Amino acid sequence: MLKNKSASYFPAAVDDVNAGPLAKLQAQLDAIQDSGMTALTIRDILFHKMLDMHAVPKEHFLRDQATPERLDDPTIIEQLNELGFYRTSPNQVH
């Protein structure tokens, strides 16, 4: 079945009303990875973006820690909140 397709190509499988934007995002992520950026680097960037969204200063010790294995782990948000960092307004531009 996959004889004619590259093993690394898996198109986005979305079947809801947001299929267009999600497929576009998937294409952008594919282009980023095709340009040489690894999934681990993308994970590191997303972790630091999460810290940005919680207004963690650039020099804070959390930014020096290793990126967690799972970015969806609720204990990350709990730790941020315990340290006094909360998600900023979605309208704020960095």
Side-chain angles (χ1 to χ4, degrees), residues 1 5 19 24 32 40 42 45 50 64 75-76 87 90:
M1 287 186 167
K5 294 184 181 179
K24 182 178 177 183
I32 289 170
L40 293 176
I42 293 171
I45 292 169
M50 180 190 312
D64 295 330
T75 59
I76 297 171
R87 188 167 179 174

Side-chain angles (χ1 to χ4, degrees), residues 14-48:
V14 290
D15 59 357
D16 61 19
V17 73
N18 296 319
L22 291 176
K24 182 178 177 183
L25 177 60
Q26 182 65 48
Q28 291 171 335
L29 288 170
D30 289 343
I32 289 170
Q33 284 188 303
D34 290 345
S35 71
M37 187 174 287
T38 67
L40 293 176
T41 304
I42 293 171
R43 185 171 56 92
D44 291 342
I45 292 169
L46 289 173
F47 175 66
H48 284 276

Side-chain angles (χ1 to χ4, degrees), residues 58-72:
K58 298 283 183 205
E59 64 280 350
H60 198 274
F61 75 90
L62 286 174
R63 293 190 182 268
D64 295 330
Q65 293 181 352
T67 302
E69 287 294 318
R70 292 194 48 175
L71 296 180
D72 62 341

Side-chain angles (χ1 to χ4, degrees), residues 62 74-86:
L62 286 174
T75 59
I76 297 171
I77 303 300
E78 290 170 9
Q79 180 186 18
L80 287 168
N81 292 342
E82 286 172 5
L83 292 170
F85 299 112
Y86 297 90

